[in-house]
PDB file of all heavy atoms in Angstrom:
ATOM      1  N   THR N  65     130.176 138.531  90.122  1.00  0.00           N
ATOM      2  CA  THR N  65     130.185 139.989  90.115  1.00  0.00           C
ATOM      3  C   THR N  65     128.977 140.494  90.878  1.00  0.00           C
ATOM      4  O   THR N  65     127.999 139.764  91.066  1.00  0.00           O
ATOM      5  CB  THR N  65     130.161 140.556  88.682  1.00  0.00           C
ATOM      6  OG1 THR N  65     128.970 140.099  88.042  1.00  0.00           O
ATOM      7  CG2 THR N  65     131.379 140.117  87.900  1.00  0.00           C
ATOM      8  N   VAL N  66     129.044 141.728  91.348  1.00  0.00           N
ATOM      9  CA  VAL N  66     127.939 142.335  92.077  1.00  0.00           C
ATOM     10  C   VAL N  66     127.664 143.720  91.535  1.00  0.00           C
ATOM     11  O   VAL N  66     128.490 144.300  90.821  1.00  0.00           O
ATOM     12  CB  VAL N  66     128.238 142.435  93.597  1.00  0.00           C
ATOM     13  CG1 VAL N  66     128.305 141.065  94.239  1.00  0.00           C
ATOM     14  CG2 VAL N  66     129.537 143.207  93.834  1.00  0.00           C
ATOM     15  N   SER N  67     126.524 144.253  91.885  1.00  0.00           N
ATOM     16  CA  SER N  67     126.171 145.626  91.540  1.00  0.00           C
ATOM     17  C   SER N  67     125.406 146.238  92.696  1.00  0.00           C
ATOM     18  O   SER N  67     124.803 145.524  93.497  1.00  0.00           O
ATOM     19  CB  SER N  67     125.328 145.667  90.256  1.00  0.00           C
ATOM     20  OG  SER N  67     124.099 144.984  90.450  1.00  0.00           O
ATOM     21  N   ARG N  68     125.437 147.562  92.782  1.00  0.00           N
ATOM     22  CA  ARG N  68     124.721 148.274  93.851  1.00  0.00           C
ATOM     23  C   ARG N  68     124.152 149.556  93.240  1.00  0.00           C
ATOM     24  O   ARG N  68     124.698 150.637  93.382  1.00  0.00           O
ATOM     25  CB  ARG N  68     125.669 148.590  95.008  1.00  0.00           C
ATOM     26  CG  ARG N  68     124.956 149.111  96.236  1.00  0.00           C
ATOM     27  CD  ARG N  68     124.519 148.022  97.147  1.00  0.00           C
ATOM     28  NE  ARG N  68     123.776 148.497  98.285  1.00  0.00           N
ATOM     29  CZ  ARG N  68     124.329 148.928  99.428  1.00  0.00           C
ATOM     30  NH1 ARG N  68     125.649 148.968  99.558  1.00  0.00           N
ATOM     31  NH2 ARG N  68     123.569 149.307 100.432  1.00  0.00           N
ATOM     32  N   ILE N  69     123.028 149.393  92.592  1.00  0.00           N
ATOM     33  CA  ILE N  69     122.359 150.525  91.944  1.00  0.00           C
ATOM     34  C   ILE N  69     121.415 151.209  92.924  1.00  0.00           C
ATOM     35  O   ILE N  69     121.172 152.423  92.835  1.00  0.00           O
ATOM     36  CB  ILE N  69     121.620 150.053  90.678  1.00  0.00           C
ATOM     37  CG1 ILE N  69     122.620 149.459  89.685  1.00  0.00           C
ATOM     38  CG2 ILE N  69     120.850 151.195  90.036  1.00  0.00           C
ATOM     39  CD1 ILE N  69     121.974 148.821  88.488  1.00  0.00           C
ATOM     40  N   ARG N  70     120.866 150.436  93.849  1.00  0.00           N
ATOM     41  CA  ARG N  70     119.984 150.989  94.875  1.00  0.00           C
ATOM     42  C   ARG N  70     120.511 150.572  96.240  1.00  0.00           C
ATOM     43  O   ARG N  70     121.093 149.496  96.383  1.00  0.00           O
ATOM     44  CB  ARG N  70     118.561 150.486  94.696  1.00  0.00           C
ATOM     45  CG  ARG N  70     117.946 150.783  93.346  1.00  0.00           C
ATOM     46  CD  ARG N  70     116.427 150.638  93.373  1.00  0.00           C
ATOM     47  NE  ARG N  70     115.961 149.447  94.043  1.00  0.00           N
ATOM     48  CZ  ARG N  70     115.697 148.297  93.423  1.00  0.00           C
ATOM     49  NH1 ARG N  70     115.912 148.180  92.145  1.00  0.00           N
ATOM     50  NH2 ARG N  70     115.244 147.266  94.097  1.00  0.00           N
ATOM     51  N   THR N  71     120.270 151.377  97.242  1.00  0.00           N
ATOM     52  CA  THR N  71     120.756 151.099  98.591  1.00  0.00           C
ATOM     53  C   THR N  71     120.294 149.739  99.086  1.00  0.00           C
ATOM     54  O   THR N  71     121.049 149.002  99.716  1.00  0.00           O
ATOM     55  CB  THR N  71     120.277 152.190  99.570  1.00  0.00           C
ATOM     56  OG1 THR N  71     120.822 153.432  99.190  1.00  0.00           O
ATOM     57  CG2 THR N  71     120.700 151.866 101.005  1.00  0.00           C
ATOM     58  N   GLU N  72     119.034 149.411  98.790  1.00  0.00           N
ATOM     59  CA  GLU N  72     118.451 148.222  99.383  1.00  0.00           C
ATOM     60  C   GLU N  72     118.756 146.934  98.628  1.00  0.00           C
ATOM     61  O   GLU N  72     118.412 145.853  99.093  1.00  0.00           O
ATOM     62  CB  GLU N  72     116.922 148.398  99.503  1.00  0.00           C
ATOM     63  CG  GLU N  72     116.194 148.565  98.190  1.00  0.00           C
ATOM     64  CD  GLU N  72     116.113 150.010  97.726  1.00  0.00           C
ATOM     65  OE1 GLU N  72     116.919 150.847  98.193  1.00  0.00           O
ATOM     66  OE2 GLU N  72     115.239 150.307  96.887  1.00  0.00           O
ATOM     67  N   HIS N  73     119.398 147.015  97.471  1.00  0.00           N
ATOM     68  CA  HIS N  73     119.511 145.857  96.605  1.00  0.00           C
ATOM     69  C   HIS N  73     120.972 145.575  96.255  1.00  0.00           C
ATOM     70  O   HIS N  73     121.683 146.488  95.817  1.00  0.00           O
ATOM     71  CB  HIS N  73     118.684 146.128  95.334  1.00  0.00           C
ATOM     72  CG  HIS N  73     118.414 144.909  94.528  1.00  0.00           C
ATOM     73  ND1 HIS N  73     118.354 144.947  93.148  1.00  0.00           N
ATOM     74  CD2 HIS N  73     118.181 143.635  94.879  1.00  0.00           C
ATOM     75  CE1 HIS N  73     118.107 143.732  92.695  1.00  0.00           C
ATOM     76  NE2 HIS N  73     117.988 142.924  93.717  1.00  0.00           N
ATOM     77  N   PHE N  74     121.411 144.320  96.417  1.00  0.00           N
ATOM     78  CA  PHE N  74     122.821 143.974  96.201  1.00  0.00           C
ATOM     79  C   PHE N  74     122.888 142.585  95.556  1.00  0.00           C
ATOM     80  O   PHE N  74     123.275 141.612  96.195  1.00  0.00           O
ATOM     81  CB  PHE N  74     123.568 144.013  97.535  1.00  0.00           C
ATOM     82  CG  PHE N  74     125.070 143.937  97.446  1.00  0.00           C
ATOM     83  CD1 PHE N  74     125.774 144.596  96.456  1.00  0.00           C
ATOM     84  CD2 PHE N  74     125.793 143.214  98.394  1.00  0.00           C
ATOM     85  CE1 PHE N  74     127.163 144.548  96.401  1.00  0.00           C
ATOM     86  CE2 PHE N  74     127.180 143.145  98.350  1.00  0.00           C
ATOM     87  CZ  PHE N  74     127.862 143.814  97.356  1.00  0.00           C
ATOM     88  N   PRO N  75     122.552 142.475  94.274  1.00  0.00           N
ATOM     89  CA  PRO N  75     122.531 141.163  93.620  1.00  0.00           C
ATOM     90  C   PRO N  75     123.926 140.661  93.259  1.00  0.00           C
ATOM     91  O   PRO N  75     124.836 141.451  92.972  1.00  0.00           O
ATOM     92  CB  PRO N  75     121.695 141.414  92.367  1.00  0.00           C
ATOM     93  CG  PRO N  75     121.921 142.870  92.065  1.00  0.00           C
ATOM     94  CD  PRO N  75     122.065 143.551  93.397  1.00  0.00           C
ATOM     95  N   LEU N  76     124.065 139.351  93.245  1.00  0.00           N
ATOM     96  CA  LEU N  76     125.320 138.678  92.874  1.00  0.00           C
ATOM     97  C   LEU N  76     125.063 137.845  91.632  1.00  0.00           C
ATOM     98  O   LEU N  76     124.078 137.098  91.580  1.00  0.00           O
ATOM     99  CB  LEU N  76     125.807 137.804  94.023  1.00  0.00           C
ATOM    100  CG  LEU N  76     127.110 137.027  93.831  1.00  0.00           C
ATOM    101  CD1 LEU N  76     127.877 136.944  95.144  1.00  0.00           C
ATOM    102  CD2 LEU N  76     126.845 135.626  93.304  1.00  0.00           C
ATOM    103  N   THR N  77     125.934 137.952  90.634  1.00  0.00           N
ATOM    104  CA  THR N  77     125.737 137.278  89.356  1.00  0.00           C
ATOM    105  C   THR N  77     126.922 136.382  89.021  1.00  0.00           C
ATOM    106  O   THR N  77     128.081 136.771  89.207  1.00  0.00           O
ATOM    107  CB  THR N  77     125.560 138.312  88.226  1.00  0.00           C
ATOM    108  OG1 THR N  77     124.395 139.103  88.485  1.00  0.00           O
ATOM    109  CG2 THR N  77     125.392 137.619  86.879  1.00  0.00           C
ATOM    110  N   LEU N  78     126.590 135.189  88.552  1.00  0.00           N
ATOM    111  CA  LEU N  78     127.585 134.284  87.973  1.00  0.00           C
ATOM    112  C   LEU N  78     127.267 134.155  86.500  1.00  0.00           C
ATOM    113  O   LEU N  78     126.183 133.704  86.128  1.00  0.00           O
ATOM    114  CB  LEU N  78     127.524 132.908  88.645  1.00  0.00           C
ATOM    115  CG  LEU N  78     128.285 132.740  89.962  1.00  0.00           C
ATOM    116  CD1 LEU N  78     127.851 131.483  90.676  1.00  0.00           C
ATOM    117  CD2 LEU N  78     129.784 132.718  89.688  1.00  0.00           C
ATOM    118  N   GLU N  79     128.185 134.583  85.629  1.00  0.00           N
ATOM    119  CA  GLU N  79     127.918 134.587  84.193  1.00  0.00           C
ATOM    120  C   GLU N  79     127.837 133.181  83.618  1.00  0.00           C
ATOM    121  O   GLU N  79     127.047 132.907  82.711  1.00  0.00           O
ATOM    122  CB  GLU N  79     129.007 135.370  83.460  1.00  0.00           C
ATOM    123  CG  GLU N  79     128.968 136.872  83.710  1.00  0.00           C
ATOM    124  CD  GLU N  79     127.729 137.534  83.117  1.00  0.00           C
ATOM    125  OE1 GLU N  79     127.168 137.008  82.123  1.00  0.00           O
ATOM    126  OE2 GLU N  79     127.300 138.570  83.667  1.00  0.00           O
ATOM    127  N   SER N  80     128.663 132.279  84.166  1.00  0.00           N
ATOM    128  CA  SER N  80     128.682 130.910  83.662  1.00  0.00           C
ATOM    129  C   SER N  80     128.967 129.975  84.827  1.00  0.00           C
ATOM    130  O   SER N  80     130.117 129.813  85.246  1.00  0.00           O
ATOM    131  CB  SER N  80     129.758 130.767  82.570  1.00  0.00           C
ATOM    132  OG  SER N  80     129.801 129.443  82.078  1.00  0.00           O
ATOM    133  N   ALA N  81     127.901 129.387  85.346  1.00  0.00           N
ATOM    134  CA  ALA N  81     128.045 128.575  86.556  1.00  0.00           C
ATOM    135  C   ALA N  81     128.829 127.301  86.288  1.00  0.00           C
ATOM    136  O   ALA N  81     128.716 126.681  85.221  1.00  0.00           O
ATOM    137  CB  ALA N  81     126.666 128.230  87.107  1.00  0.00           C
ATOM    138  N   ARG N  82     129.645 126.914  87.276  1.00  0.00           N
ATOM    139  CA  ARG N  82     130.428 125.676  87.223  1.00  0.00           C
ATOM    140  C   ARG N  82     130.219 124.898  88.510  1.00  0.00           C
ATOM    141  O   ARG N  82     129.867 125.475  89.543  1.00  0.00           O
ATOM    142  CB  ARG N  82     131.907 125.987  87.055  1.00  0.00           C
ATOM    143  CG  ARG N  82     132.287 126.661  85.758  1.00  0.00           C
ATOM    144  CD  ARG N  82     133.723 126.335  85.387  1.00  0.00           C
ATOM    145  NE  ARG N  82     134.661 126.764  86.415  1.00  0.00           N
ATOM    146  CZ  ARG N  82     135.249 127.942  86.423  1.00  0.00           C
ATOM    147  NH1 ARG N  82     135.002 128.795  85.471  1.00  0.00           N
ATOM    148  NH2 ARG N  82     136.093 128.252  87.378  1.00  0.00           N
ATOM    149  N   PRO N  83     130.462 123.588  88.498  1.00  0.00           N
ATOM    150  CA  PRO N  83     130.296 122.794  89.725  1.00  0.00           C
ATOM    151  C   PRO N  83     131.111 123.336  90.902  1.00  0.00           C
ATOM    152  O   PRO N  83     130.697 123.195  92.060  1.00  0.00           O
ATOM    153  CB  PRO N  83     130.772 121.401  89.296  1.00  0.00           C
ATOM    154  CG  PRO N  83     130.423 121.336  87.841  1.00  0.00           C
ATOM    155  CD  PRO N  83     130.698 122.714  87.315  1.00  0.00           C
ATOM    156  N   SER N  84     132.236 123.982  90.640  1.00  0.00           N
ATOM    157  CA  SER N  84     133.056 124.528  91.723  1.00  0.00           C
ATOM    158  C   SER N  84     132.370 125.701  92.425  1.00  0.00           C
ATOM    159  O   SER N  84     132.799 126.119  93.507  1.00  0.00           O
ATOM    160  CB  SER N  84     134.418 124.982  91.185  1.00  0.00           C
ATOM    161  OG  SER N  84     134.248 125.994  90.204  1.00  0.00           O
ATOM    162  N   HIS N  85     131.304 126.221  91.819  1.00  0.00           N
ATOM    163  CA  HIS N  85     130.555 127.312  92.441  1.00  0.00           C
ATOM    164  C   HIS N  85     129.513 126.799  93.442  1.00  0.00           C
ATOM    165  O   HIS N  85     128.850 127.589  94.110  1.00  0.00           O
ATOM    166  CB  HIS N  85     129.850 128.160  91.367  1.00  0.00           C
ATOM    167  CG  HIS N  85     130.806 128.865  90.453  1.00  0.00           C
ATOM    168  ND1 HIS N  85     130.575 128.981  89.101  1.00  0.00           N
ATOM    169  CD2 HIS N  85     131.987 129.478  90.696  1.00  0.00           C
ATOM    170  CE1 HIS N  85     131.576 129.640  88.558  1.00  0.00           C
ATOM    171  NE2 HIS N  85     132.447 129.950  89.488  1.00  0.00           N
ATOM    172  N   THR N  86     129.354 125.498  93.515  1.00  0.00           N
ATOM    173  CA  THR N  86     128.408 124.917  94.463  1.00  0.00           C
ATOM    174  C   THR N  86     128.803 125.292  95.888  1.00  0.00           C
ATOM    175  O   THR N  86     129.914 125.000  96.335  1.00  0.00           O
ATOM    176  CB  THR N  86     128.369 123.387  94.317  1.00  0.00           C
ATOM    177  OG1 THR N  86     127.850 123.057  93.027  1.00  0.00           O
ATOM    178  CG2 THR N  86     127.493 122.763  95.388  1.00  0.00           C
ATOM    179  N   SER N  87     127.888 125.962  96.589  1.00  0.00           N
ATOM    180  CA  SER N  87     128.188 126.459  97.926  1.00  0.00           C
ATOM    181  C   SER N  87     126.941 127.141  98.481  1.00  0.00           C
ATOM    182  O   SER N  87     125.919 127.220  97.813  1.00  0.00           O
ATOM    183  CB  SER N  87     129.345 127.469  97.875  1.00  0.00           C
ATOM    184  OG  SER N  87     129.783 127.811  99.177  1.00  0.00           O
ATOM    185  N   GLN N  88     127.060 127.633  99.721  1.00  0.00           N
ATOM    186  CA  GLN N  88     126.019 128.495 100.263  1.00  0.00           C
ATOM    187  C   GLN N  88     126.520 129.934 100.190  1.00  0.00           C
ATOM    188  O   GLN N  88     127.647 130.229 100.558  1.00  0.00           O
ATOM    189  CB  GLN N  88     125.675 128.129 101.706  1.00  0.00           C
ATOM    190  CG  GLN N  88     124.673 129.103 102.332  1.00  0.00           C
ATOM    191  CD  GLN N  88     123.950 128.562 103.530  1.00  0.00           C
ATOM    192  OE1 GLN N  88     122.814 128.093 103.418  1.00  0.00           O
ATOM    193  NE2 GLN N  88     124.584 128.640 104.682  1.00  0.00           N
ATOM    194  N   TYR N  89     125.629 130.820  99.734  1.00  0.00           N
ATOM    195  CA  TYR N  89     125.969 132.232  99.606  1.00  0.00           C
ATOM    196  C   TYR N  89     125.106 133.025 100.585  1.00  0.00           C
ATOM    197  O   TYR N  89     123.876 132.953 100.554  1.00  0.00           O
ATOM    198  CB  TYR N  89     125.748 132.703  98.168  1.00  0.00           C
ATOM    199  CG  TYR N  89     126.723 132.044  97.207  1.00  0.00           C
ATOM    200  CD1 TYR N  89     126.438 130.797  96.667  1.00  0.00           C
ATOM    201  CD2 TYR N  89     127.926 132.662  96.873  1.00  0.00           C
ATOM    202  CE1 TYR N  89     127.332 130.173  95.812  1.00  0.00           C
ATOM    203  CE2 TYR N  89     128.829 132.046  96.021  1.00  0.00           C
ATOM    204  CZ  TYR N  89     128.529 130.800  95.492  1.00  0.00           C
ATOM    205  OH  TYR N  89     129.417 130.180  94.656  1.00  0.00           O
ATOM    206  N   LEU N  90     125.769 133.784 101.448  1.00  0.00           N
ATOM    207  CA  LEU N  90     125.086 134.548 102.486  1.00  0.00           C
ATOM    208  C   LEU N  90     125.291 136.040 102.251  1.00  0.00           C
ATOM    209  O   LEU N  90     126.406 136.499 102.041  1.00  0.00           O
ATOM    210  CB  LEU N  90     125.617 134.179 103.867  1.00  0.00           C
ATOM    211  CG  LEU N  90     125.221 132.793 104.367  1.00  0.00           C
ATOM    212  CD1 LEU N  90     126.171 132.321 105.434  1.00  0.00           C
ATOM    213  CD2 LEU N  90     123.802 132.820 104.913  1.00  0.00           C
ATOM    214  N   CYS N  91     124.211 136.779 102.317  1.00  0.00           N
ATOM    215  CA  CYS N  91     124.249 138.229 102.183  1.00  0.00           C
ATOM    216  C   CYS N  91     124.093 138.846 103.568  1.00  0.00           C
ATOM    217  O   CYS N  91     123.374 138.307 104.426  1.00  0.00           O
ATOM    218  CB  CYS N  91     123.116 138.684 101.268  1.00  0.00           C
ATOM    219  SG  CYS N  91     123.051 140.460 100.974  1.00  0.00           S
ATOM    220  N   ALA N  92     124.778 139.942 103.816  1.00  0.00           N
ATOM    221  CA  ALA N  92     124.685 140.619 105.107  1.00  0.00           C
ATOM    222  C   ALA N  92     124.701 142.130 104.881  1.00  0.00           C
ATOM    223  O   ALA N  92     125.168 142.615 103.850  1.00  0.00           O
ATOM    224  CB  ALA N  92     125.832 140.204 106.032  1.00  0.00           C
ATOM    225  N   SER N  93     124.191 142.851 105.870  1.00  0.00           N
ATOM    226  CA  SER N  93     124.249 144.308 105.793  1.00  0.00           C
ATOM    227  C   SER N  93     124.495 144.879 107.177  1.00  0.00           C
ATOM    228  O   SER N  93     124.280 144.196 108.191  1.00  0.00           O
ATOM    229  CB  SER N  93     122.955 144.888 105.211  1.00  0.00           C
ATOM    230  OG  SER N  93     121.892 144.764 106.144  1.00  0.00           O
ATOM    231  N   ARG N  94     124.954 146.116 107.239  1.00  0.00           N
ATOM    232  CA  ARG N  94     125.153 146.767 108.525  1.00  0.00           C
ATOM    233  C   ARG N  94     125.165 148.280 108.345  1.00  0.00           C
ATOM    234  O   ARG N  94     125.437 148.781 107.270  1.00  0.00           O
ATOM    235  CB  ARG N  94     126.459 146.319 109.187  1.00  0.00           C
ATOM    236  CG  ARG N  94     127.714 146.847 108.489  1.00  0.00           C
ATOM    237  CD  ARG N  94     128.944 146.459 109.241  1.00  0.00           C
ATOM    238  NE  ARG N  94     130.146 146.904 108.543  1.00  0.00           N
ATOM    239  CZ  ARG N  94     131.061 147.720 109.073  1.00  0.00           C
ATOM    240  NH1 ARG N  94     130.892 148.193 110.285  1.00  0.00           N
ATOM    241  NH2 ARG N  94     132.141 148.055 108.404  1.00  0.00           N
TER     242      ARG N  94
END
Side-chain angles (χ1 to χ4, degrees):
Chain N
T65 60
V66 293
S67 63
R68 190 89 183 274
I69 299 173
R70 303 197 315 267
T71 297
E72 63 272 20
H73 195 215
F74 191 39
L76 180 145
T77 298
L78 277 165
E79 290 293 333
S80 179
R82 295 207 301 268
S84 61
H85 295 140
T86 295
S87 189
Q88 175 160 262
Y89 293 85
L90 289 159
C91 181
S93 71
R94 70 176 177 122

